Amino acid sequence: MSDFVYLFRADQGQRQQAMGTPERAQQSLQAWLAWMRDLEAKGHLKSPGQPLSTSGSVVRGRSQLVTDGPYVEAKDLVLGFIVVAARDLAEAAELAKGCPMLQGDGSVEVRPVEVMIVEQLGRAGGDRR
């Protein structure tokens, strides 16, 4: 099994639609919990991740220029992430189809985790498994 990161994306309007009222927020939370529990029960949930704030900063280049976000040019925001285990990218994409984000106009970006790079960093830091 390989690890994949799901990046949950939506624009501010889609986020507001899903979470705008206490009732909508409760419905959304219930759908997310059910989906996450299903992934966990089937052995696919590696890390429940975290929701991300819509604010933030970016540090760029050698000048280390710090700019505030989110950005006007961004059409969507990364609202959170989880890590799942799947046989391959096709299975990871299939598992993502159950995400409540897709009940609206949001999206789930499915990205393989580059295991070799992580393992090399662990060894360099003294992790001798």
Side-chain angles (χ1 to χ4, degrees):
M1 297 278 263
S2 298
D3 291 350
F4 296 86
V5 173
Y6 289 176
L7 299 173
F8 305 115
R9 296 180 179 269
D11 66 29
Q12 190 63 32
Q14 293 161 345
R15 181 179 184 268
Q16 184 64 32
Q17 183 178 4
M19 302 298 284
T21 66
E23 295 81 18
R24 285 186 195 154
Q26 182 65 27
Q27 290 171 347
S28 180
L29 179 60
Q30 292 301 322
W32 278 92
L33 287 174
W35 181 60
M36 299 278 284
R37 285 180 182 141
D38 184 57
L39 287 172
E40 185 174 35
K42 293 177 180 173
H44 293 290
L45 187 63
K46 291 278 295 226
S47 170
Q50 295 291 327
L52 301 174
S53 170
T54 57
S55 63
S57 296
V58 174
V59 181
R60 294 184 193 270
R62 292 181 183 166
S63 66
Q64 300 176 352
L65 176 67
V66 179
T67 55
D68 292 331
Y71 306 98
V72 174
E73 67 272 11
K75 293 183 181 178
D76 60 22
L77 305 167
V78 177
L79 299 176
F81 69 95
I82 65 171
V83 180
V84 300
R87 285 186 311 274
D88 53 27
L89 184 57
E91 182 183 34
E94 189 64 32
L95 292 168
K97 290 180 180 179
C99 179
M101 182 71 81
L102 303 175
Q103 293 174 3
D105 290 325
S107 65
V108 180
E109 182 177 340
V110 180
R111 304 274 303 270
V113 174
E114 294 286 342
V115 176
M116 291 183 63
I117 293 171
V118 173
E119 287 176 355
Q120 290 171 358
L121 289 173
R123 283 191 213 111
D127 183 8
R128 308 279 184 228
R129 291 183 212 174

Coordinates of all heavy atoms in Angstrom, one line a residue, residues 6-64:
Y6 N -4.9 13.7 0.4 CA -6.1 14.4 -0.2 C -6.1 15.8 0.2 O -6.1 16.1 1.4 CB -7.4 13.7 0.3 CG -7.7 12.3 -0.2 CD1 -8.8 11.7 0.3 CD2 -6.9 11.7 -1.1 CE1 -9.1 10.4 -0.1 CE2 -7.2 10.4 -1.6 CZ -8.4 9.8 -1.1 OH -8.7 8.5 -1.5
L7 N -6.1 16.7 -0.8 CA -6.2 18.1 -0.5 C -7.6 18.6 -0.8 O -8.0 18.4 -2.0 CB -5.1 18.9 -1.3 CG -3.7 18.6 -1.1 CD1 -2.8 19.3 -2.1 CD2 -3.3 18.9 0.4
F8 N -8.3 19.1 0.1 CA -9.7 19.5 -0.1 C -9.7 21.0 -0.5 O -9.2 21.8 0.2 CB -10.5 19.2 1.2 CG -10.4 17.8 1.7 CD1 -9.8 17.5 2.9 CD2 -10.9 16.8 0.9 CE1 -9.6 16.2 3.3 CE2 -10.7 15.5 1.3 CZ -10.1 15.2 2.5
R9 N -10.3 21.2 -1.7 CA -10.3 22.6 -2.2 C -11.7 23.0 -2.5 O -12.6 22.3 -3.0 CB -9.6 22.6 -3.6 CG -8.1 22.3 -3.4 CD -7.4 22.3 -4.8 NE -6.0 22.1 -4.7 CZ -5.1 23.0 -4.5 NH1 -5.4 24.3 -4.4 NH2 -3.8 22.7 -4.5
A10 N -12.0 24.3 -2.2 CA -13.2 24.9 -2.6 C -13.0 26.4 -2.5 O -12.0 26.9 -1.9 CB -14.3 24.6 -1.5
D11 N -13.9 27.2 -3.2 CA -13.7 28.7 -3.0 C -14.5 29.1 -1.8 O -15.2 28.3 -1.1 CB -14.2 29.4 -4.3 CG -15.6 29.3 -4.6 OD1 -16.5 29.1 -3.7 OD2 -16.0 29.3 -5.8
Q12 N -14.3 30.4 -1.4 CA -14.9 30.9 -0.2 C -16.5 30.7 -0.2 O -17.1 30.4 0.8 CB -14.5 32.3 0.0 CG -14.9 32.9 1.4 CD -14.2 32.1 2.5 OE1 -13.1 31.6 2.4 NE2 -14.9 32.0 3.6
G13 N -17.1 31.0 -1.4 CA -18.5 30.8 -1.5 C -19.0 29.4 -1.3 O -20.0 29.2 -0.6
Q14 N -18.3 28.4 -1.8 CA -18.6 27.0 -1.6 C -18.5 26.6 -0.1 O -19.3 25.9 0.5 CB -17.8 26.1 -2.5 CG -18.0 26.3 -3.9 CD -16.9 25.8 -4.8 OE1 -15.8 25.6 -4.3 NE2 -17.1 25.7 -6.1
R15 N -17.4 27.2 0.5 CA -17.2 26.9 1.9 C -18.3 27.5 2.8 O -18.9 26.8 3.6 CB -15.9 27.5 2.4 CG -15.6 27.3 3.8 CD -14.2 27.9 4.2 NE -13.8 27.6 5.6 CZ -14.1 28.3 6.6 NH1 -14.8 29.5 6.4 NH2 -13.8 28.0 7.8
Q16 N -18.7 28.7 2.4 CA -19.8 29.4 3.2 C -21.1 28.6 3.0 O -21.9 28.5 3.9 CB -20.0 30.8 2.7 CG -21.0 31.6 3.4 CD -20.7 31.8 4.9 OE1 -19.5 31.9 5.3 NE2 -21.7 31.8 5.7
Q17 N -21.4 28.1 1.8 CA -22.6 27.4 1.5 C -22.7 26.1 2.4 O -23.7 25.8 2.9 CB -22.7 27.0 0.0 CG -24.0 26.3 -0.3 CD -24.0 26.0 -1.8 OE1 -23.1 26.2 -2.6 NE2 -25.2 25.4 -2.2
A18 N -21.5 25.4 2.5 CA -21.5 24.2 3.3 C -21.6 24.4 4.8 O -22.1 23.6 5.5 CB -20.3 23.4 3.0
M19 N -21.0 25.6 5.3 CA -20.9 25.8 6.7 C -21.7 27.0 7.2 O -21.5 27.4 8.3 CB -19.4 26.0 7.0 CG -18.6 24.8 6.7 SD -19.0 23.3 7.5 CE -18.3 23.6 9.1
G20 N -22.5 27.7 6.3 CA -23.1 29.0 6.6 C -24.0 29.0 7.8 O -24.1 30.1 8.4
T21 N -24.8 28.0 8.0 CA -25.7 28.0 9.2 C -25.3 26.9 10.1 O -24.7 25.9 9.7 CB -27.1 27.8 8.7 OG1 -27.3 26.5 8.2 CG2 -27.6 28.8 7.6
P22 N -25.8 26.9 11.4 CA -25.5 25.8 12.3 C -26.0 24.5 11.7 O -25.4 23.5 11.9 CB -26.2 26.2 13.6 CG -26.2 27.7 13.5 CD -26.4 28.1 12.1
E23 N -27.2 24.5 11.1 CA -27.7 23.3 10.5 C -26.9 22.7 9.4 O -26.6 21.5 9.4 CB -29.2 23.5 10.0 CG -30.1 23.9 11.1 CD -30.1 25.4 11.5 OE1 -29.5 26.2 10.8 OE2 -30.6 25.6 12.6
R24 N -26.4 23.6 8.5 CA -25.5 23.1 7.4 C -24.2 22.6 8.0 O -23.7 21.6 7.5 CB -25.3 24.3 6.5 CG -26.4 24.6 5.6 CD -26.0 25.6 4.5 NE -27.2 26.2 3.9 CZ -27.2 27.4 3.3 NH1 -26.1 28.1 3.4 NH2 -28.3 27.8 2.7
A25 N -23.7 23.3 8.9 CA -22.4 22.9 9.5 C -22.5 21.5 10.2 O -21.7 20.7 10.0 CB -21.9 24.0 10.6
Q26 N -23.7 21.3 10.9 CA -23.9 20.0 11.5 C -24.0 18.9 10.5 O -23.5 17.8 10.6 CB -25.2 20.1 12.4 CG -25.5 18.8 13.1 CD -24.4 18.4 14.2 OE1 -23.7 19.3 14.7 NE2 -24.3 17.1 14.4
Q27 N -24.8 19.2 9.4 CA -24.9 18.2 8.3 C -23.6 17.9 7.7 O -23.3 16.7 7.4 CB -25.9 18.7 7.3 CG -27.3 18.7 7.7 CD -28.2 19.4 6.7 OE1 -27.8 20.1 5.8 NE2 -29.5 19.3 6.9
S28 N -22.8 18.9 7.4 CA -21.5 18.7 6.8 C -20.6 17.9 7.8 O -19.9 17.0 7.3 CB -20.9 20.1 6.5 OG -19.6 19.9 6.0
L29 N -20.6 18.2 9.0 CA -19.8 17.5 10.0 C -20.1 16.0 10.0 O -19.3 15.2 10.0 CB -19.9 18.1 11.4 CG -19.1 17.5 12.5 CD1 -17.6 17.4 12.2 CD2 -19.3 18.1 13.8
Q30 N -21.4 15.8 10.1 CA -21.9 14.4 10.1 C -21.5 13.6 8.9 O -21.0 12.4 8.9 CB -23.4 14.3 10.3 CG -23.9 14.8 11.6 CD -23.3 14.0 12.8 OE1 -23.2 12.8 12.7 NE2 -23.0 14.7 13.9
A31 N -21.6 14.2 7.7 CA -21.2 13.6 6.4 C -19.7 13.3 6.5 O -19.2 12.2 6.1 CB -21.5 14.4 5.3
W32 N -18.9 14.3 6.9 CA -17.4 14.1 7.0 C -17.0 13.0 8.0 O -16.2 12.1 7.7 CB -16.7 15.4 7.4 CG -16.5 16.3 6.2 CD1 -17.4 17.3 5.8 CD2 -15.4 16.3 5.3 NE1 -16.8 17.9 4.7 CE2 -15.7 17.3 4.4 CE3 -14.3 15.5 5.2 CZ2 -14.8 17.6 3.4 CZ3 -13.4 15.8 4.2 CH2 -13.6 16.8 3.3
L33 N -17.7 13.0 9.1 CA -17.4 11.9 10.1 C -17.7 10.5 9.6 O -17.0 9.6 9.8 CB -18.1 12.2 11.4 CG -17.6 13.3 12.3 CD1 -18.5 13.6 13.5 CD2 -16.2 13.1 12.8
A34 N -18.8 10.4 8.9 CA -19.2 9.1 8.4 C -18.2 8.6 7.3 O -17.8 7.5 7.3 CB -20.6 9.2 7.7
W35 N -17.8 9.5 6.4 CA -16.8 9.2 5.4 C -15.5 8.8 6.0 O -14.9 7.8 5.6 CB -16.7 10.3 4.4 CG -15.7 10.1 3.3 CD1 -15.8 9.1 2.4 CD2 -14.5 10.8 3.0 NE1 -14.8 9.1 1.5 CE2 -14.0 10.2 1.9 CE3 -13.9 11.9 3.6 CZ2 -12.8 10.7 1.3 CZ3 -12.7 12.4 3.0 CH2 -12.2 11.7 1.8
M36 N -15.0 9.6 7.0 CA -13.7 9.3 7.6 C -13.8 8.0 8.4 O -12.8 7.2 8.3 CB -13.3 10.4 8.5 CG -13.2 11.8 7.9 SD -11.6 12.0 7.1 CE -10.6 12.3 8.5
R37 N -14.9 7.7 9.1 CA -15.0 6.4 9.8 C -15.0 5.2 8.8 O -14.4 4.2 9.1 CB -16.3 6.4 10.6 CG -16.2 7.3 11.9 CD -17.4 7.3 12.7 NE -17.3 8.2 13.8 CZ -18.2 9.0 14.3 NH1 -19.4 9.0 13.7 NH2 -18.0 9.7 15.3
D38 N -15.6 5.4 7.7 CA -15.6 4.3 6.7 C -14.2 4.1 6.2 O -13.8 2.9 6.1 CB -16.6 4.7 5.5 CG -16.7 3.6 4.5 OD1 -17.1 2.5 4.9 OD2 -16.4 3.8 3.3
L39 N -13.5 5.1 5.9 CA -12.1 5.0 5.4 C -11.3 4.3 6.5 O -10.5 3.4 6.2 CB -11.5 6.3 5.1 CG -11.9 7.0 3.8 CD1 -11.3 8.4 3.8 CD2 -11.5 6.2 2.6
E40 N -11.5 4.7 7.8 CA -10.7 4.1 8.9 C -11.1 2.6 9.0 O -10.2 1.7 9.2 CB -11.0 4.8 10.2 CG -10.2 4.3 11.3 CD -10.4 5.2 12.6 OE1 -11.5 5.7 12.8 OE2 -9.4 5.4 13.3
A41 N -12.4 2.3 9.0 CA -12.9 0.9 9.1 C -12.3 0.0 8.1 O -12.1 -1.2 8.3 CB -14.4 0.8 9.1
K42 N -12.1 0.5 6.9 CA -11.5 -0.3 5.8 C -10.0 -0.3 5.7 O -9.4 -0.8 4.8 CB -12.2 0.2 4.5 CG -13.7 -0.1 4.4 CD -14.3 0.4 3.2 CE -15.8 0.1 3.2 NZ -16.5 0.8 2.1
G43 N -9.4 0.4 6.7 CA -7.9 0.4 6.8 C -7.2 1.4 5.8 O -6.0 1.2 5.6
H44 N -8.0 2.4 5.3 CA -7.4 3.3 4.4 C -6.9 4.6 5.1 O -6.1 5.3 4.5 CB -8.4 3.7 3.3 CG -8.6 2.5 2.4 ND1 -7.7 2.0 1.5 CD2 -9.7 1.8 2.2 CE1 -8.2 1.0 0.8 NE2 -9.5 0.8 1.3
L45 N -7.4 5.0 6.2 CA -7.1 6.3 6.8 C -5.8 6.2 7.6 O -5.7 5.5 8.6 CB -8.2 6.7 7.8 CG -8.1 8.1 8.4 CD1 -8.1 9.2 7.3 CD2 -9.2 8.4 9.4
K46 N -4.8 6.8 7.1 CA -3.5 6.8 7.7 C -3.3 8.0 8.7 O -2.7 7.9 9.8 CB -2.3 7.0 6.7 CG -2.1 5.8 5.8 CD -1.3 4.7 6.4 CE 0.1 5.2 6.7 NZ 1.1 4.3 6.3
S47 N -3.9 9.2 8.4 CA -3.9 10.3 9.2 C -5.1 11.1 9.0 O -5.4 11.4 7.8 CB -2.6 11.2 9.0 OG -2.7 12.4 9.7
P48 N -5.8 11.5 10.0 CA -7.1 12.3 9.8 C -6.8 13.7 9.4 O -7.7 14.5 9.1 CB -7.8 12.2 11.2 CG -6.7 12.0 12.2 CD -5.6 11.2 11.4
G49 N -5.5 14.1 9.3 CA -5.2 15.5 8.9 C -5.8 16.5 9.8 O -6.1 16.3 11.0
Q50 N -6.0 17.7 9.2 CA -6.5 18.8 10.0 C -7.2 19.8 9.0 O -6.8 19.9 7.8 CB -5.4 19.6 10.7 CG -4.7 18.9 11.8 CD -5.6 18.6 13.0 OE1 -6.5 19.4 13.3 NE2 -5.4 17.5 13.6
P51 N -8.3 20.5 9.4 CA -8.8 21.5 8.6 C -7.8 22.7 8.6 O -7.0 22.8 9.6 CB -10.1 21.9 9.3 CG -10.0 21.4 10.7 CD -9.0 20.3 10.6
L52 N -7.7 23.5 7.6 CA -6.8 24.6 7.5 C -7.6 25.9 7.5 O -8.7 26.0 6.9 CB -6.0 24.5 6.2 CG -5.1 23.3 6.1 CD1 -4.5 23.2 4.7 CD2 -4.1 23.2 7.2
S53 N -7.0 26.9 8.1 CA -7.6 28.3 8.1 C -7.5 28.8 6.7 O -6.7 28.4 5.9 CB -6.8 29.2 9.1 OG -7.1 30.5 8.9
T54 N -8.4 29.7 6.4 CA -8.4 30.4 5.1 C -7.4 31.5 5.0 O -7.2 32.1 4.0 CB -9.8 30.9 4.7 OG1 -10.3 31.8 5.7 CG2 -10.8 29.7 4.6
S55 N -6.8 31.9 6.2 CA -5.8 32.9 6.2 C -4.4 32.3 6.2 O -4.3 31.1 6.5 CB -6.0 33.8 7.4 OG -5.8 33.1 8.6
G56 N -3.4 33.1 6.0 CA -2.0 32.5 6.0 C -1.0 33.5 5.4 O -1.4 34.6 5.0
S57 N 0.2 33.0 5.3 CA 1.3 33.8 4.7 C 2.1 32.9 3.8 O 2.1 31.7 4.0 CB 2.2 34.4 5.8 OG 1.4 35.3 6.5
V58 N 2.8 33.5 2.9 CA 3.8 32.8 2.0 C 5.1 33.5 2.1 O 5.2 34.7 2.0 CB 3.3 32.7 0.6 CG1 4.3 32.1 -0.3 CG2 2.0 32.0 0.4
V59 N 6.2 32.7 2.3 CA 7.5 33.3 2.3 C 8.1 32.8 1.0 O 8.1 31.6 0.7 CB 8.3 32.7 3.5 CG1 9.7 33.3 3.5 CG2 7.6 33.0 4.8
R60 N 8.6 33.8 0.2 CA 9.1 33.5 -1.2 C 10.6 33.8 -1.3 O 11.0 34.9 -0.9 CB 8.3 34.3 -2.2 CG 6.9 33.9 -2.3 CD 6.3 34.8 -3.5 NE 4.8 34.7 -3.4 CZ 4.1 33.8 -4.1 NH1 4.7 32.9 -4.8 NH2 2.8 33.8 -4.0
G61 N 11.2 32.9 -2.0 CA 12.6 33.2 -2.6 C 13.6 33.6 -1.6 O 13.5 33.6 -0.4
R62 N 14.8 33.9 -2.2 CA 16.0 34.3 -1.5 C 15.8 35.6 -0.6 O 16.4 35.7 0.4 CB 17.2 34.5 -2.4 CG 17.6 33.2 -3.0 CD 18.8 33.4 -3.9 NE 19.1 32.1 -4.5 CZ 19.9 32.0 -5.5 NH1 20.5 33.0 -6.1 NH2 20.1 30.8 -6.1
S63 N 14.9 36.4 -1.1 CA 14.6 37.7 -0.3 C 13.7 37.4 0.9 O 13.6 38.3 1.7 CB 14.0 38.7 -1.2 OG 12.7 38.3 -1.6
Q64 N 13.2 36.2 0.9 CA 12.3 35.8 2.0 C 11.1 36.8 2.2 O 10.7 37.1 3.4 CB 13.1 35.6 3.3 CG 14.1 34.5 3.1 CD 15.0 34.4 4.4 OE1 15.0 35.1 5.3 NE2 15.8 33.3 4.3

